Amino acid sequence: INAVFTYGAADDGSGAEEMVEAVNELCGVEISQYAEINFDGMKTLVDAVGGIDIYVPEGDEVDDPEAGPVTIEAGQQHMDGAALTFCRARHQFADGDYTRMRHQRMVLGALADKILNNLDIATIPSLVESLADMVHTSLSVSDIISLVNAMRGMDVNDMYSANIPSWAGDDTYINGQSYVFVYEDALEEMMARVDAGEDPEGPQTMGSGGDESATIGDLYNNSNTDWARGTATTSGGSSDDESSGESSGSSSSSSE
């Protein structure tokens, strides 16, 4: 999934379409629409909506020059373009790549909350137009407005959150390159729950998951060490011990 975008973009510019195909095949879904945004566009989007509000858990402070030039303290934060640094940081955390994925979901959740519940919908067309050079999407402007209208008032913190059941380690190197491998049976079970409209019960860190329940709101309430050690407290119970047992130390995947 990580590489297909790069190869597709370099080959004929179809990186996003080929990534959609790869996710469809792996997860057994049919993605109907997509939006692709680059790093500069991400910063511009956050700034354009007036910034986003995120509670950074104690222990998830960011001071990573490789991720960005700013530091981010714990506690309630109003982020502008610094949200990109929060999305990219991984080296300082116990389960590096997985913390980065959780932070990305927190930022997406905060963006969704701002756009759905705290933004004048009349400003959406001009916002889309201002980002035209940075965002590529199969959605029309009218599609975007209809989607915002349909989801307006949603409590984003109650949305379920999960990543693909996976692991990385000494056994996931191929020709010197580190990969994240998928627990395919666990993913199939998770996607069956998603297809049924149920809690995905998927992992928040390295592991197969299967009896976890977490929401976007839960991500604000637990640090990276809580997730990595299996001590996170969630709205649906505690994190799975089996999952956490496989997540000591950071993985070294190439995903960005």
Side-chain angles (χ1 to χ4, degrees), residues 5 20-21 50 61 69 78 84 89 93 107 113 120 139 141 143-144 147 155 157 196 209 212 217 220 223 237 244 249:
F5 180 90
V20 166
E21 291 177 10
E61 305 92 338
H78 182 77
L84 180 59
F93 301 117
V107 167
D113 183 59
D120 183 353
L139 290 161
V141 174
D143 289 335
I144 294 172
L147 188 61
D155 186 347
N157 286 338
E212 301 177 21
Y220 298 113
S223 72
S244 65

Side-chain angles (χ1 to χ4, degrees), residues 6 24 27 57 81 83 86 102 104 116 146 191 208 219 241:
T6 301
N24 284 346
C27 296
F86 190 65
R102 288 192 301 273
Q104 289 168 356
L116 295 176
S146 296
M191 292 309 302
S208 57
L219 302 186
D241 291 336

Side-chain angles (χ1 to χ4, degrees), residues 17-247:
E17 291 88 347
E18 293 192 18
M19 177 174 281
V20 166
E21 291 177 10
V23 174
N24 284 346
E25 181 179 351
L26 179 64
C27 296
V29 295
E30 293 185 13
I31 295 172
S32 56
Q33 306 287 355
Y34 71 86
E36 167 199 345
I37 187 167
N38 60 29
F39 286 151
D40 286 338
M42 175 72 176
K43 291 189 291 186
T44 301
L45 174 58
V46 173
D47 287 339
V49 299
I52 55 177
D53 296 310
I54 292 182
Y55 184 84
V56 179
E58 193 76 34
D60 276 29
E61 305 92 338
V62 172
D63 186 3
D64 183 353
E66 292 189 41
V70 299
T71 59
I72 299 171
E73 301 297 328
Q76 189 66 39
Q77 302 293 336
H78 182 77
M79 295 185 190
D80 49 19
L84 180 59
T85 299
F86 190 65
C87 282
R88 299 190 69 191
R90 63 175 175 137
H91 297 97
Q92 67 194 83
F93 301 117
D95 62 348
D97 287 349
Y98 294 88
T99 292
R100 177 170 60 181
M101 287 190 282
R102 288 192 301 273
H103 286 179
Q104 289 168 356
R105 293 200 293 276
M106 290 162 69
V107 167
L108 289 173
L111 264 172
D113 183 59
K114 187 64 176 283
I115 293 170
L116 295 176
N117 301 318
N118 296 288
L119 197 68
D120 183 353
I121 197 168
T123 66
I124 297 292
S126 60
L127 177 63
V128 173
E129 184 177 348
S130 69
L131 292 167
D133 292 336
M134 300 178 182
V135 178
H136 302 281
T137 178
S138 55
L139 290 161
S140 68
V141 174
S142 60
D143 289 335
I144 294 172
I145 294 174
S146 296
L147 188 61
V148 170
N149 271 325
M151 299 177 70
R152 207 157 181 82
M154 175 183 290
D155 186 347
V156 175
N157 286 338
D158 283 343
M159 291 175 61
Y160 290 122
S161 167
N163 55 261
I164 287 178
S166 61
W167 85 98
D170 293 339
D171 58 339
T172 63
Y173 275 83
I174 302 175
N175 297 326
Q177 174 65 55
S178 172
Y179 289 84
V180 172
F181 278 25
V182 177
Y183 288 107
E184 295 187 15
D185 289 345
L187 174 62
E188 185 175 353
E189 293 171 1
M190 186 180 85
M191 292 309 302
R193 291 189 289 271
V194 171
D195 290 343
E198 300 172 355
D199 180 350
E201 298 178 6
Q204 300 300 316
T205 186
M206 189 184 302
S208 57
D211 60 358
E212 301 177 21
S213 178
T215 63
I216 294 293
D218 291 326
L219 302 186
Y220 298 113
N221 297 323
N222 297 277
S223 72
N224 64 93
T225 52
D226 291 326
W227 297 113
R229 294 174 181 170
T231 58
T233 301
T234 69
S235 53
S238 300
S239 293
D240 181 53
D241 291 336
E242 177 185 356
S243 172
S244 65
E246 296 164 334
S247 61

